[in-house]
Amino acid sequence: MNKELIVRSSSDAVDFALLKDGRLIELHKETEGFDFSVGDIFLAKIRKALPGLNAAFVNVGYEKDGFLHYHDLGPNVKTMLKFVKKATSNQMKNFSLRDFPFEQEIDKNGSIADTLHSNQSILVQVVKEPISTKGPRLSSELSLAGRYIVLVPFSDRVSVSQKIESKEEKSRLKRLVKSIKPKGFSVIIRTVAEGKKVADIDKDLQNLMKRWENMCRKLSKAHQPSKVLGELNKASSILRDIFNDSFTSICIDDDVIYTQIKDYVGKISPDKESIVSNYDSNVPIFEKYGIERQIKTSFGKTVTMKKGAYLVIEHTEAMHVIDVNSGNRSNKAKNQEDTALEVNMISATEIARQLRLRDMGGIIVVDFIDMNNPDNRRKLYEHLKDEMSDDRAKHKILPPSKFGLIQITRQRVRPEMNIKTREKDPNVDGEIEAPIVIVNKINVDLQKILKKGTKKITLTAHPFIAAYLMKGFPSPRSKWFFDSKKWVKIQPRDAYNYLEYHFYDHNGTLIKV
C-alpha cells in the first residue's frame, strides 16, 4: 500500500489530496482568512448561560456565538477559570501548573448556571467548525495534540490509545510517560507511539509544553475574544495524524509550503525527508496525478464502480442515504447470492472511501443488496469495518438489519466537502454532467458490449466528445484497441445533444447496453 500527499496552492486556498495506491481517499481545502478550525483555542467571553439547554453561548468573534454544553466543560473547569483570571490580569509568571492549587471538580450532573456567568473570561477549544447556520461547537477541556501524545492541562491521568492491542506495550508506554509527565497535565498516548523510545516521546512532550507556555504568555495582552493558539497549518496537521512508513511521496507545487512540509517531515521522520518534492511542470499538479478526473467522477449523486455496479448517494434533512445497485451487467457468478456478495463487497470498499472523501457525518444508512446467507452478511459487515479502520473520524457501524440495511454514525467536525460536478450545457440553458463522467460511462458500456463478443462496433457521439475520444496518442480509442484488440469506429453526429451517444453493430443495429 502506497500513500501520496499532493498539495496544490492557489491565490486564495490550498488543496490537499491524499492518494492510496493512486486512488483519491481524502480531499481537504485550507481557505485564507477562515479562523475557526478544529483544535484552535480562543480566549472568549461567556455571552449567557441557558439552564434550559444546560449550555452557554460564547462570544469567540464569529458572527454566530459558539455553543458550549455543560458536559464539554471538563471536570476541572473551575481550576481553569481561576487560572485564566490570574493569567489575564498578569498575576502569573510560571505556567507549568506544578504548584497551581486545583479547585474541586464539578458535579457531572450539575447545572451550567452554577459554574458559568455572563461576561466571564474562559479558554475554549473548537471541536466542530461552523456548519450551515450554526456557530462553532466548543469545549473548555483543552487538549494539545502532538505527534505521539496529546497533552491535556488541568488534569492528572495517563491513558493509552485503544488501537494499541499489546498489554505489555501499553504498560511500557504508561510507565514511560508517568516518569516524564509534568504535574497538572494528563497525557493521552497516541497509536503512533507504539514501539517508540522515551527520547522521542519526551521531545514531543517538551514541544507541547512550549506551545502551552507561549499561549499562556499571550493571555495578559490578548483581546477578548481572540485566538490564542492556532492549530498547525493543514499540511502539518494531516501529516501529524496520518504520516507513517507507507508514505512514498509528498509533492507540492508551492515553494513556501514545500519548505514548511520538508522541515516538518525532517523533524518527525528524518529518514523520510527525501520523499518530499517540489513540483515544477507546466501541467497542473492535480492533472498530472489524475486527481481532477477523480474529483469529477467521485462527487456526483451517482458513483460508478468496477463491473458495472454503482452507488446512488443522497442527502436528506436528517441523514445520508446510500443505495447499492448491481447495474445491468453480465455476471460469471454462479447464483444470485454470489452476485449480491460480490457487488456488496465492492460497494463497501467504495463507501468507506466516499465517507472520507466527502467527509460525510451524522447518520448514514446504506441499502445493500439483500443476502440470505448469514455468513455472507457477517463477511460484509467485517469487510466494511476493516475498510473504515483507517478513518480518523470517530464512527460506529451496526450489523446488517433483516432488510439488508447497515447504519453508520460518523463524527462531523467540519462542513461536508461538497464539489459541484455539473457544468453549463452549451446547447441549452441548463446543466449537464461533466464530460469526463460521460467518457467514463462510455468506457463502462463498451466493456459490457465487448464481453458479448460483438464483431464490429461503431460509436456515434457529439462532435466534441468524438474529437476527445480520437485525439492524442495514445487516444482513448487507441487504449481500447490495446486492451481489447478491437477497433471502434467513431462517427460524429451534429444533431446529438452534448452528452448523447449510441453504439451500433456491423449491421447498423442499435446495441442496447
Side-chain angles (χ1 to χ4, degrees), residues 464-507:
F464 288 176
I465 302 298
Y468 174 81
L469 294 173
M470 293 186 288
K471 75 171 184 178
F473 186 83
S475 65
R477 177 169 63 175
S478 300
K479 291 178 181 177
W480 296 341
F481 178 74
F482 294 146
D483 292 340
S484 64
K485 302 298 184 287
K486 275 197 176 179
W487 186 255
V488 178
K489 185 178 180 181
I490 297 177
Q491 294 181 339
R493 289 287 186 265
D494 294 339
Y496 279 14
N497 292 327
Y498 191 47
L499 303 182
E500 182 180 356
Y501 65 91
H502 300 288
F503 288 99
Y504 294 90
D505 63 15
H506 63 288
N507 294 319

Short mmCIF file of all heavy atoms in Angstrom, two decimals, residues 464-507:
data_model
loop_
_atom_site.label_atom_id
_atom_site.label_comp_id
_atom_site.label_asym_id
_atom_site.label_seq_id
_atom_site.Cartn_x
_atom_site.Cartn_y
_atom_site.Cartn_z
N PHE A 464 -17.86 17.16 -30.13
CA PHE A 464 -16.87 17.46 -29.08
C PHE A 464 -16.38 16.19 -28.41
O PHE A 464 -15.18 16.01 -28.19
CB PHE A 464 -17.51 18.39 -28.03
CG PHE A 464 -17.73 19.80 -28.47
CD1 PHE A 464 -18.37 20.72 -27.65
CD2 PHE A 464 -17.32 20.22 -29.72
CE1 PHE A 464 -18.58 22.02 -28.07
CE2 PHE A 464 -17.52 21.53 -30.16
CZ PHE A 464 -18.16 22.42 -29.33
N ILE A 465 -17.32 15.30 -28.06
CA ILE A 465 -16.96 14.05 -27.39
C ILE A 465 -16.17 13.15 -28.34
O ILE A 465 -15.17 12.54 -27.96
CB ILE A 465 -18.22 13.33 -26.87
CG1 ILE A 465 -18.99 14.22 -25.90
CG2 ILE A 465 -17.85 12.01 -26.20
CD1 ILE A 465 -18.24 14.61 -24.65
N ALA A 466 -16.63 13.08 -29.61
CA ALA A 466 -15.94 12.26 -30.61
C ALA A 466 -14.50 12.72 -30.78
O ALA A 466 -13.57 11.91 -30.85
CB ALA A 466 -16.69 12.31 -31.93
N ALA A 467 -14.31 14.05 -30.83
CA ALA A 467 -12.95 14.59 -31.01
C ALA A 467 -12.07 14.24 -29.83
O ALA A 467 -10.89 13.89 -30.00
CB ALA A 467 -13.03 16.11 -31.19
N TYR A 468 -12.62 14.32 -28.62
CA TYR A 468 -11.83 13.98 -27.44
C TYR A 468 -11.39 12.52 -27.46
O TYR A 468 -10.25 12.19 -27.13
CB TYR A 468 -12.65 14.25 -26.17
CG TYR A 468 -11.95 13.79 -24.91
CD1 TYR A 468 -10.95 14.57 -24.32
CD2 TYR A 468 -12.24 12.55 -24.33
CE1 TYR A 468 -10.30 14.14 -23.18
CE2 TYR A 468 -11.59 12.11 -23.20
CZ TYR A 468 -10.61 12.91 -22.63
OH TYR A 468 -9.95 12.47 -21.51
N LEU A 469 -12.30 11.63 -27.88
CA LEU A 469 -12.00 10.20 -27.88
C LEU A 469 -10.95 9.82 -28.92
O LEU A 469 -10.27 8.80 -28.78
CB LEU A 469 -13.28 9.39 -28.12
CG LEU A 469 -14.35 9.48 -27.03
CD1 LEU A 469 -15.64 8.79 -27.47
CD2 LEU A 469 -13.85 8.86 -25.73
N MET A 470 -10.80 10.67 -29.95
CA MET A 470 -9.86 10.33 -31.03
C MET A 470 -8.55 11.11 -30.95
O MET A 470 -7.61 10.82 -31.68
CB MET A 470 -10.51 10.60 -32.39
CG MET A 470 -11.68 9.67 -32.70
SD MET A 470 -12.33 9.88 -34.38
CE MET A 470 -13.16 11.46 -34.27
N LYS A 471 -8.46 12.12 -30.05
CA LYS A 471 -7.28 13.00 -30.06
C LYS A 471 -6.11 12.37 -29.30
O LYS A 471 -6.29 11.54 -28.41
CB LYS A 471 -7.63 14.35 -29.44
CG LYS A 471 -7.76 14.32 -27.94
CD LYS A 471 -7.90 15.73 -27.36
CE LYS A 471 -7.92 15.66 -25.83
NZ LYS A 471 -8.00 16.99 -25.21
N GLY A 472 -4.90 12.84 -29.66
CA GLY A 472 -3.69 12.46 -28.92
C GLY A 472 -3.23 11.05 -29.19
O GLY A 472 -3.87 10.26 -29.88
N PHE A 473 -2.05 10.74 -28.65
CA PHE A 473 -1.56 9.36 -28.70
C PHE A 473 -0.87 9.01 -27.38
O PHE A 473 0.07 9.69 -26.98
CB PHE A 473 -0.59 9.16 -29.86
CG PHE A 473 -0.20 7.71 -30.03
CD1 PHE A 473 -1.01 6.84 -30.73
CD2 PHE A 473 0.96 7.22 -29.43
CE1 PHE A 473 -0.66 5.50 -30.86
CE2 PHE A 473 1.30 5.88 -29.56
CZ PHE A 473 0.49 5.04 -30.28
N PRO A 474 -1.35 8.00 -26.65
CA PRO A 474 -2.49 7.19 -27.09
C PRO A 474 -3.82 7.89 -26.76
O PRO A 474 -3.98 8.40 -25.67
CB PRO A 474 -2.33 5.90 -26.28
CG PRO A 474 -1.65 6.35 -25.01
CD PRO A 474 -0.75 7.49 -25.40
N SER A 475 -4.71 7.90 -27.72
CA SER A 475 -6.06 8.44 -27.50
C SER A 475 -6.88 7.41 -26.73
O SER A 475 -6.50 6.23 -26.65
CB SER A 475 -6.72 8.73 -28.84
OG SER A 475 -6.93 7.51 -29.55
N PRO A 476 -8.03 7.81 -26.17
CA PRO A 476 -8.89 6.82 -25.51
C PRO A 476 -9.24 5.65 -26.43
O PRO A 476 -9.27 4.50 -26.00
CB PRO A 476 -10.13 7.64 -25.14
CG PRO A 476 -9.61 9.02 -24.92
CD PRO A 476 -8.53 9.19 -25.95
N ARG A 477 -9.49 5.95 -27.74
CA ARG A 477 -9.80 4.86 -28.67
C ARG A 477 -8.61 3.94 -28.86
O ARG A 477 -8.77 2.70 -28.93
CB ARG A 477 -10.25 5.43 -30.03
CG ARG A 477 -10.53 4.34 -31.05
CD ARG A 477 -11.21 4.85 -32.29
NE ARG A 477 -10.40 5.81 -33.03
CZ ARG A 477 -10.76 6.31 -34.22
NH1 ARG A 477 -11.92 5.93 -34.76
NH2 ARG A 477 -9.99 7.17 -34.84
N SER A 478 -7.40 4.50 -28.90
CA SER A 478 -6.21 3.66 -29.03
C SER A 478 -6.05 2.74 -27.82
O SER A 478 -5.68 1.56 -27.96
CB SER A 478 -4.96 4.53 -29.18
OG SER A 478 -5.05 5.35 -30.31
N LYS A 479 -6.36 3.28 -26.64
CA LYS A 479 -6.27 2.47 -25.43
C LYS A 479 -7.26 1.32 -25.47
O LYS A 479 -6.97 0.22 -25.02
CB LYS A 479 -6.51 3.34 -24.19
CG LYS A 479 -5.40 4.34 -23.92
CD LYS A 479 -5.71 5.21 -22.71
CE LYS A 479 -4.62 6.22 -22.47
NZ LYS A 479 -4.92 7.13 -21.33
N TRP A 480 -8.47 1.59 -26.01
CA TRP A 480 -9.45 0.50 -26.16
C TRP A 480 -8.88 -0.61 -27.04
O TRP A 480 -9.04 -1.80 -26.75
CB TRP A 480 -10.75 1.01 -26.81
CG TRP A 480 -11.49 2.04 -26.00
CD1 TRP A 480 -11.36 2.28 -24.67
CD2 TRP A 480 -12.46 2.97 -26.49
NE1 TRP A 480 -12.20 3.30 -24.27
CE2 TRP A 480 -12.90 3.73 -25.37
CE3 TRP A 480 -13.02 3.23 -27.73
CZ2 TRP A 480 -13.85 4.74 -25.49
CZ3 TRP A 480 -13.98 4.22 -27.85
CH2 TRP A 480 -14.39 4.97 -26.74
N PHE A 481 -8.19 -0.21 -28.12
CA PHE A 481 -7.63 -1.19 -29.05
C PHE A 481 -6.52 -2.01 -28.39
O PHE A 481 -6.45 -3.23 -28.54
CB PHE A 481 -7.10 -0.48 -30.30
CG PHE A 481 -6.47 -1.41 -31.30
CD1 PHE A 481 -7.26 -2.25 -32.09
CD2 PHE A 481 -5.10 -1.47 -31.43
CE1 PHE A 481 -6.68 -3.13 -32.99
CE2 PHE A 481 -4.50 -2.34 -32.32
CZ PHE A 481 -5.30 -3.17 -33.12
N PHE A 482 -5.64 -1.32 -27.64
CA PHE A 482 -4.55 -2.03 -26.97
C PHE A 482 -5.09 -3.03 -25.96
O PHE A 482 -4.52 -4.11 -25.77
CB PHE A 482 -3.63 -1.03 -26.26
CG PHE A 482 -2.89 -0.12 -27.21
CD1 PHE A 482 -2.61 1.20 -26.84
CD2 PHE A 482 -2.48 -0.56 -28.46
CE1 PHE A 482 -1.94 2.05 -27.71
CE2 PHE A 482 -1.81 0.29 -29.34
CZ PHE A 482 -1.54 1.60 -28.96
N ASP A 483 -6.19 -2.68 -25.29
CA ASP A 483 -6.75 -3.54 -24.24
C ASP A 483 -7.56 -4.71 -24.80
O ASP A 483 -7.48 -5.82 -24.28
CB ASP A 483 -7.65 -2.72 -23.30
CG ASP A 483 -6.85 -1.73 -22.46
OD1 ASP A 483 -5.63 -1.92 -22.34
OD2 ASP A 483 -7.45 -0.75 -21.96
N SER A 484 -8.35 -4.44 -25.85
CA SER A 484 -9.30 -5.47 -26.32
C SER A 484 -8.98 -6.03 -27.70
O SER A 484 -9.60 -7.00 -28.14
CB SER A 484 -10.71 -4.87 -26.37
OG SER A 484 -10.77 -3.82 -27.33
N LYS A 485 -7.99 -5.41 -28.39
CA LYS A 485 -7.63 -5.80 -29.76
C LYS A 485 -8.79 -5.64 -30.73
O LYS A 485 -8.91 -6.36 -31.73
CB LYS A 485 -7.12 -7.26 -29.79
CG LYS A 485 -5.91 -7.51 -28.89
CD LYS A 485 -4.73 -6.69 -29.34
CE LYS A 485 -3.48 -6.98 -28.52
NZ LYS A 485 -3.56 -6.42 -27.16
N LYS A 486 -9.69 -4.68 -30.44
CA LYS A 486 -10.81 -4.37 -31.34
C LYS A 486 -10.84 -2.88 -31.61
O LYS A 486 -10.74 -2.09 -30.68
CB LYS A 486 -12.14 -4.81 -30.72
CG LYS A 486 -12.46 -6.27 -30.99
CD LYS A 486 -13.93 -6.57 -30.74
CE LYS A 486 -14.23 -8.02 -31.13
NZ LYS A 486 -15.62 -8.36 -30.88
N TRP A 487 -10.98 -2.54 -32.88
CA TRP A 487 -11.01 -1.13 -33.27
C TRP A 487 -12.44 -0.63 -33.28
O TRP A 487 -13.31 -1.23 -33.91
CB TRP A 487 -10.37 -0.96 -34.65
CG TRP A 487 -10.24 0.48 -35.06
CD1 TRP A 487 -10.99 1.14 -35.97
CD2 TRP A 487 -9.28 1.40 -34.57
NE1 TRP A 487 -10.57 2.44 -36.07
CE2 TRP A 487 -9.51 2.63 -35.22
CE3 TRP A 487 -8.24 1.33 -33.64
CZ2 TRP A 487 -8.75 3.76 -34.97
CZ3 TRP A 487 -7.48 2.45 -33.39
CH2 TRP A 487 -7.75 3.66 -34.05
N VAL A 488 -12.69 0.45 -32.59
CA VAL A 488 -14.03 1.03 -32.51
C VAL A 488 -14.09 2.22 -33.47
O VAL A 488 -13.31 3.17 -33.35
CB VAL A 488 -14.36 1.49 -31.07
CG1 VAL A 488 -15.74 2.14 -31.02
CG2 VAL A 488 -14.28 0.31 -30.11
N LYS A 489 -15.03 2.15 -34.40
CA LYS A 489 -15.23 3.26 -35.32
C LYS A 489 -16.04 4.35 -34.63
O LYS A 489 -17.04 4.07 -33.98
CB LYS A 489 -15.97 2.77 -36.57
CG LYS A 489 -16.12 3.83 -37.65
CD LYS A 489 -16.82 3.25 -38.88
CE LYS A 489 -16.96 4.31 -39.97
NZ LYS A 489 -17.66 3.78 -41.17
N ILE A 490 -15.58 5.59 -34.73
CA ILE A 490 -16.26 6.71 -34.07
C ILE A 490 -16.77 7.68 -35.13
O ILE A 490 -16.00 8.14 -35.99
CB ILE A 490 -15.32 7.44 -33.09
CG1 ILE A 490 -14.88 6.49 -31.97
CG2 ILE A 490 -16.02 8.66 -32.48
CD1 ILE A 490 -13.90 7.09 -30.99
N GLN A 491 -18.07 7.99 -35.09
CA GLN A 491 -18.69 8.91 -36.04
C GLN A 491 -19.33 10.09 -35.31
O GLN A 491 -20.20 9.89 -34.46
CB GLN A 491 -19.76 8.19 -36.87
CG GLN A 491 -19.19 7.12 -37.80
CD GLN A 491 -20.27 6.44 -38.62
OE1 GLN A 491 -21.46 6.48 -38.27
NE2 GLN A 491 -19.87 5.83 -39.72
N PRO A 492 -18.90 11.32 -35.61
CA PRO A 492 -19.54 12.50 -35.00
C PRO A 492 -20.96 12.68 -35.55
O PRO A 492 -21.22 12.38 -36.71
CB PRO A 492 -18.63 13.66 -35.44
CG PRO A 492 -17.38 13.02 -35.96
CD PRO A 492 -17.76 11.68 -36.48
N ARG A 493 -21.84 13.17 -34.70
CA ARG A 493 -23.23 13.44 -35.11
C ARG A 493 -23.61 14.84 -34.65
O ARG A 493 -23.75 15.10 -33.45
CB ARG A 493 -24.18 12.41 -34.50
CG ARG A 493 -24.06 11.02 -35.10
CD ARG A 493 -24.67 11.00 -36.51
NE ARG A 493 -24.70 9.65 -37.07
CZ ARG A 493 -23.76 9.17 -37.88
NH1 ARG A 493 -22.71 9.93 -38.20
NH2 ARG A 493 -23.86 7.95 -38.36
N ASP A 494 -23.74 15.76 -35.59
CA ASP A 494 -24.05 17.16 -35.26
C ASP A 494 -25.40 17.31 -34.57
O ASP A 494 -25.61 18.24 -33.78
CB ASP A 494 -24.05 18.02 -36.53
CG ASP A 494 -22.65 18.12 -37.14
OD1 ASP A 494 -21.67 17.89 -36.39
OD2 ASP A 494 -22.54 18.43 -38.33
N ALA A 495 -26.33 16.42 -34.86
CA ALA A 495 -27.68 16.56 -34.32
C ALA A 495 -27.80 16.10 -32.87
O ALA A 495 -28.82 16.35 -32.22
CB ALA A 495 -28.67 15.76 -35.19
N TYR A 496 -26.77 15.45 -32.35
CA TYR A 496 -26.85 14.90 -30.98
C TYR A 496 -26.75 16.02 -29.94
O TYR A 496 -26.10 17.05 -30.17
CB TYR A 496 -25.71 13.91 -30.75
CG TYR A 496 -25.95 12.53 -31.30
CD1 TYR A 496 -26.98 12.27 -32.21
CD2 TYR A 496 -25.14 11.46 -30.93
CE1 TYR A 496 -27.19 11.01 -32.72
CE2 TYR A 496 -25.33 10.19 -31.43
CZ TYR A 496 -26.37 9.97 -32.33
OH TYR A 496 -26.57 8.71 -32.83
N ASN A 497 -27.39 15.77 -28.82
CA ASN A 497 -27.14 16.61 -27.65
C ASN A 497 -25.69 16.38 -27.20
O ASN A 497 -25.06 15.38 -27.56
CB ASN A 497 -28.09 16.28 -26.51
CG ASN A 497 -29.52 16.66 -26.82
OD1 ASN A 497 -29.75 17.65 -27.52
ND2 ASN A 497 -30.47 15.88 -26.34
N TYR A 498 -25.20 17.29 -26.37
CA TYR A 498 -23.79 17.28 -26.00
C TYR A 498 -23.34 15.93 -25.44
O TYR A 498 -22.26 15.44 -25.75
CB TYR A 498 -23.56 18.40 -24.97
CG TYR A 498 -22.11 18.70 -24.67
CD1 TYR A 498 -21.19 18.85 -25.69
CD2 TYR A 498 -21.68 18.86 -23.36
CE1 TYR A 498 -19.86 19.14 -25.43
CE2 TYR A 498 -20.35 19.14 -23.08
CZ TYR A 498 -19.45 19.28 -24.12
OH TYR A 498 -18.15 19.58 -23.85
N LEU A 499 -24.18 15.30 -24.61
CA LEU A 499 -23.77 14.07 -23.93
C LEU A 499 -24.49 12.83 -24.46
O LEU A 499 -24.54 11.79 -23.80
CB LEU A 499 -23.98 14.20 -22.42
CG LEU A 499 -23.25 15.39 -21.76
CD1 LEU A 499 -23.50 15.41 -20.26
CD2 LEU A 499 -21.76 15.32 -22.03
N GLU A 500 -25.01 12.94 -25.64
CA GLU A 500 -25.73 11.79 -26.24
C GLU A 500 -24.74 10.92 -27.02
O GLU A 500 -23.87 11.41 -27.73
CB GLU A 500 -26.83 12.30 -27.17
CG GLU A 500 -27.67 11.20 -27.80
CD GLU A 500 -28.75 11.74 -28.72
OE1 GLU A 500 -28.90 12.99 -28.80
OE2 GLU A 500 -29.45 10.93 -29.37
N TYR A 501 -24.89 9.61 -26.87
CA TYR A 501 -24.05 8.69 -27.65
C TYR A 501 -24.78 7.36 -27.81
O TYR A 501 -25.65 7.01 -27.00
CB TYR A 501 -22.69 8.47 -26.97
CG TYR A 501 -22.77 7.76 -25.63
CD1 TYR A 501 -22.69 6.36 -25.55
CD2 TYR A 501 -22.94 8.47 -24.45
CE1 TYR A 501 -22.76 5.71 -24.33
CE2 TYR A 501 -23.02 7.83 -23.23
CZ TYR A 501 -22.92 6.45 -23.17
OH TYR A 501 -23.01 5.80 -21.96
N HIS A 502 -24.43 6.61 -28.87
CA HIS A 502 -25.04 5.30 -29.11
C HIS A 502 -24.01 4.37 -29.74
O HIS A 502 -23.11 4.82 -30.46
CB HIS A 502 -26.26 5.43 -30.05
CG HIS A 502 -27.34 6.30 -29.53
ND1 HIS A 502 -28.17 5.93 -28.48
CD2 HIS A 502 -27.72 7.57 -29.88
CE1 HIS A 502 -29.02 6.92 -28.23
NE2 HIS A 502 -28.76 7.92 -29.06
N PHE A 503 -24.18 3.07 -29.50
CA PHE A 503 -23.34 2.03 -30.10
C PHE A 503 -24.16 1.26 -31.14
O PHE A 503 -25.35 0.96 -30.91
CB PHE A 503 -22.83 1.05 -29.04
CG PHE A 503 -21.77 1.64 -28.13
CD1 PHE A 503 -22.09 2.12 -26.88
CD2 PHE A 503 -20.44 1.68 -28.54
CE1 PHE A 503 -21.13 2.65 -26.05
CE2 PHE A 503 -19.46 2.20 -27.71
CZ PHE A 503 -19.80 2.70 -26.46
N TYR A 504 -23.51 0.92 -32.28
CA TYR A 504 -24.17 0.14 -33.33
C TYR A 504 -23.27 -1.03 -33.71
O TYR A 504 -22.04 -0.95 -33.62
CB TYR A 504 -24.43 1.00 -34.57
CG TYR A 504 -25.44 2.12 -34.32
CD1 TYR A 504 -25.01 3.38 -33.88
CD2 TYR A 504 -26.80 1.90 -34.51
CE1 TYR A 504 -25.91 4.40 -33.65
CE2 TYR A 504 -27.72 2.92 -34.28
CZ TYR A 504 -27.27 4.16 -33.84
OH TYR A 504 -28.18 5.16 -33.61
N ASP A 505 -23.90 -2.14 -34.16
CA ASP A 505 -23.12 -3.30 -34.61
C ASP A 505 -22.83 -3.20 -36.11
O ASP A 505 -23.12 -2.18 -36.75
CB ASP A 505 -23.83 -4.61 -34.27
CG ASP A 505 -25.17 -4.76 -34.97
OD1 ASP A 505 -25.43 -4.00 -35.93
OD2 ASP A 505 -25.98 -5.61 -34.55
N HIS A 506 -22.28 -4.27 -36.72
CA HIS A 506 -21.86 -4.24 -38.11
C HIS A 506 -23.04 -4.11 -39.08
O HIS A 506 -22.87 -3.75 -40.25
CB HIS A 506 -21.05 -5.49 -38.45
CG HIS A 506 -21.82 -6.77 -38.31
ND1 HIS A 506 -22.17 -7.28 -37.08
CD2 HIS A 506 -22.33 -7.63 -39.25
CE1 HIS A 506 -22.84 -8.41 -37.26
NE2 HIS A 506 -22.95 -8.63 -38.56
N ASN A 507 -24.26 -4.43 -38.61
CA ASN A 507 -25.46 -4.29 -39.44
C ASN A 507 -26.12 -2.92 -39.27
O ASN A 507 -27.17 -2.66 -39.86
CB ASN A 507 -26.48 -5.37 -39.08
CG ASN A 507 -25.99 -6.76 -39.44
OD1 ASN A 507 -25.37 -6.95 -40.51
ND2 ASN A 507 -26.24 -7.73 -38.57
#
